[in-house]
Structure formats: C-alpha cells, structure tokens
C-alpha cells in the first residue's frame, strides 16, 4: 500500500527535513505541500536541496487542502496546529511537529506557552521508557502523534534510563545544551543572524523559562520519577544543526558503577537509533548530522557523586523530523527504520 501524505509548513526547516526524509520512503507519496506567506511558490524556491520534489507547488494551509490524505504532517509554529487538528477529524493519521499536543497539563501549557490548550496526543519518542514498556508500544496503531521538542527528547533520552532503574536522583537534574539555531525555525530573527552568532555562544531562556522543561518533566514522570526537577540551560552556538546535551544527576545511594551502566545498556542495547558509546567515549554533533541517531556517552563521576550523560543528535533529524517519521512507521505497522539512516554526513 502507498500512503498519500500532506506536509504543512513545507517551506520551513522542520517541514523541509520531513520532506527530505519522506522523499526516500518507498511506502509514501508526497502529494501536497502547504505554506502560509509562501503559498503559490514552487517548493524548490524555498527548499532548493529537494531536487526530487521540484514538481511540487506550495498550496495554502487550510483544513480543506490538508484533508483527504492518509497522513498529515503539521510543521507549524507553536500555537498554530490546533486550529487545523480540530478540523481534521477524518484524517487517518496526523502528526504534529509543534508543541500544541505534547503536554498533558493545562497548567503547564498556560505557564510556558499560553493560549488555547489542546488535548495531548501520543508522544513520538519510541525509545523512551514509559512505565514497564517503551513509548513505542503506545505508538502502535496511534492516529494522533505529537512529535517531540528536540531539546526535550534529547535530555529525556539522556537520563530516563537512570530514572527508570532508580540509580539516579531525579530531583536534582542539571542539563546544559549547545544547540544550533535551526531549532528556532526559519523565520527572520535578528538575534539569530550570522553576524550575531558567529564567534559567540549565546545562552537563552535561562532560569527555568524554556518551554521544553515541562515536556522533559512529563517524560521523566512516565519513566518513574514522582517529582523530577531540572535546571535546563540551552546555549546557541554557531553550527546550523545539532544538539550536544550534557546532563548530570546525583547517584542514588547504593548504586554501583556496574548497575549504573547496566541501566543504559538495558534501555538502549537493542535500539537501532539510540546508541550507547563504549565506556570512556563521548559523542560529537558532527557524527550525527543528517542521521536519525542519538549517540550517548556515559560517565560516572564519583568525586562529585554524579552521573554525567553527553548526548548528540541532529535537532532537525532525530530531534524532530526523524522522530516523526519513525513514529509514523510504527503507527502504520511499517518497518520502524524505513527511510531513516544511522549514518551521518562527514566532513
């Protein structure tokens, strides 16, 4: 069977990455691409790297145009997806790459986003531990999927195995991330101009204000933490793509080094896209660019009594579009790895 696909926000970074990966998918037909201000333009004008899709024209983003497809991807700014998802009741599978359907708490939505709260959908990070199973099991047959925030899924994947195994204290998690500016979208923002970020590292959303904090806490509650607390500091660095997250947490009393490492080995030993590196190794963002891979380095700092996890992802691939397509594959009963690669691009 070939599934017809519509992608909204197709002129942006997330929409473009969804299209790049779907263009290699043998089971889908990219039938419709939509945009707002760029409607009427050839897709290739805004995504010149997508040569195989040069025949497509951007159409207006309306529920009528998105309807009638087997799969609809919404790659829209936060707060805009809800108006379309409410009108797509008959669509077989809708995947939202924005934040509108990620959070289960109306209070958390009001505090970090504001505006209308929409029902939570199945969270699209298959490898995350959720109770006694993986989130993958909840995605099987799902019809409404919330793709993750790239920073949130990176941090959650980093520390959830330790939380689930009880070898770390989830009440004192600290995470500092080096992130590429593509995570902020394609719209013009003066503080993200090349002249502003080249040669500089720029912290933002400092002091518990970043919108991905409640998403991380939600994932860690699913992993077994009753009251997870996290100090979360992202820093924009001059690389177009990538996240390098360094996450630490206190070692739980009595946890041995072997038990700590076993928690991550048990969680990810059989996962194709989340890979624990050998002891003593840490990842680089350069090793995951273009791939649906999260590389995880684990260190045990007994002098500080903390576990240190360093995780690298491509924020547009594994962080957003790759997670969305991986979740789509699971929901439709396709091979989970279809159209997704573990191999990055170098140099």
């Amino acid at each position: 069977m070939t599934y017809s696909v519509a992608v909204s926000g197709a002129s942006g970074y997330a929409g473009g990455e969804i299209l790049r990966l779907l263009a290699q998918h043998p089971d889908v037909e990219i039938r419709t691409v939509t945009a707002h201000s760029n409607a009427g333009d050839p897709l290739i004008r805004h995504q010149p790297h997508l040569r195989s899709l040069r025949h497509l024209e951007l159409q207006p983003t309306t529920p009528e145009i998105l309807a009638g497809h087997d799969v609809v991807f919404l790659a829209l700014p936060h707060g805009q997806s809800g108006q379309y998802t409410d009108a797509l009741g008959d669509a077989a599978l809708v995947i939202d790459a924005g934040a509108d359907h990620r959070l289960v708490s109306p209070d958390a939505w009001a505090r970090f986003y504001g505006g209308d709260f929409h029902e939570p959908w199945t969270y699209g990070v298959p490898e995350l531990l959720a109770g006694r199973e993986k989130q993958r099991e909840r995605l099987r047959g799902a019809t409404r999927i919330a793709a993750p925030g790239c920073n949130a899924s990176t941090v959650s994947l980093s520390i959830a195995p330790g939380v689930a195994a009880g070898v770390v204290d989830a009440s004192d998690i600290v995470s500092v991330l080096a992130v590429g500016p593509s995570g902020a979208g394609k719209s013009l923002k003066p503080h993200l101009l090349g002249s502003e970020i080249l040669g500089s590292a720029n912290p933002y959303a400092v002091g518990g204000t970043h919108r991905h904090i409640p998403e991380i806490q939600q994932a860690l509650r699913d992993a077994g933490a009753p009251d997870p607390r996290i100090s979360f500091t992202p820093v924009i660095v001059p690389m177009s793509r990538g996240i390098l997250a360094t996450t630490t947490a206190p070692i739980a009393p009595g946890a041995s080094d072997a038990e700590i490492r076993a928690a991550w080995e048990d969680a990810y030993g059989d996962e194709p896209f989340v890979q624990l590196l050998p002891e003593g190794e840490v990842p680089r963002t350069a090793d995951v660019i273009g791939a649906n891979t999260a590389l995880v380095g684990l260190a045990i700092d007994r002098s500080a009594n903390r576990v240190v996890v360093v995780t690298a992802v491509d924020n547009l691939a594994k962080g957003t579009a790759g997670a969305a397509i991986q979740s789509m594959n699971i929901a439709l009963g396709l091979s989970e790895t279809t159209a997704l690669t573990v191999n990055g691009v170098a140099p």
Side-chain angles (χ1 to χ4, degrees), residues 214-242:
E215 189 178 335
I216 298 167
Q217 292 174 315
Q218 181 175 293
L220 296 185
R221 288 190 191 97
D222 264 1
D227 184 25
R229 293 189 298 169
I230 181 168
S231 172
F232 176 91
T233 306
V235 182
I236 292 176
V237 297
M239 58 184 183
S240 60
R241 289 172 175 247

Side-chain angles (χ1 to χ4, degrees), residues 192-279:
L192 298 180
L193 292 172
S195 57
E196 298 292 332
I197 67 170
L198 291 177
S200 180
N202 303 283
Y204 68 101
V206 176
T209 61
H210 197 283
R211 289 173 167 179
H212 287 175
I213 290 173
E215 189 178 335
I216 298 167
Q217 292 174 315
Q218 181 175 293
L220 296 185
R221 288 190 191 97
D222 264 1
D227 184 25
R229 293 189 298 169
I230 181 168
S231 172
F232 176 91
T233 306
V235 182
I236 292 176
V237 297
M239 58 184 183
S240 60
R241 289 172 175 247
I243 296 172
L244 189 72
T246 301
T247 305
T248 77
I251 298 169
S256 69
D257 289 11
E259 289 170 331
I260 292 169
R261 188 160 185 89
W264 275 262
E265 290 175 341
D266 292 346
Y268 299 138
D270 296 328
E271 291 291 347
F273 296 122
V274 182
Q275 300 180 9
L276 179 66
L277 297 178
E279 190 171 353

Side-chain angles (χ1 to χ4, degrees), residues 104-192:
V104 300
S105 167
D107 291 340
W109 177 266
R111 178 182 172 191
F112 285 88
Y113 290 92
D116 294 336
F117 176 77
H118 296 276
E119 65 173 322
W121 289 357
T122 306
Y123 193 51
V125 185
E127 301 90 352
L128 266 179
L129 293 159
R132 295 182 178 274
E133 60 185 13
K134 293 278 185 76
Q135 185 67 18
R136 173 181 291 110
E137 301 307 314
R138 301 179 181 181
L139 286 163
R140 299 189 194 281
T143 61
R144 298 294 182 269
I145 295 172
C150 53
N151 296 318
S153 61
T154 305
V155 175
S156 299
L157 287 168
S158 296
I159 204 68
V163 170
V167 297
V168 301
D169 177 1
S171 69
D172 183 20
I173 299 169
V174 177
S175 190
V176 178
L177 297 82
V179 302
S182 58
K186 204 172 185 179
S187 299
L188 178 62
K189 301 176 180 70
H191 71 286
L192 298 180

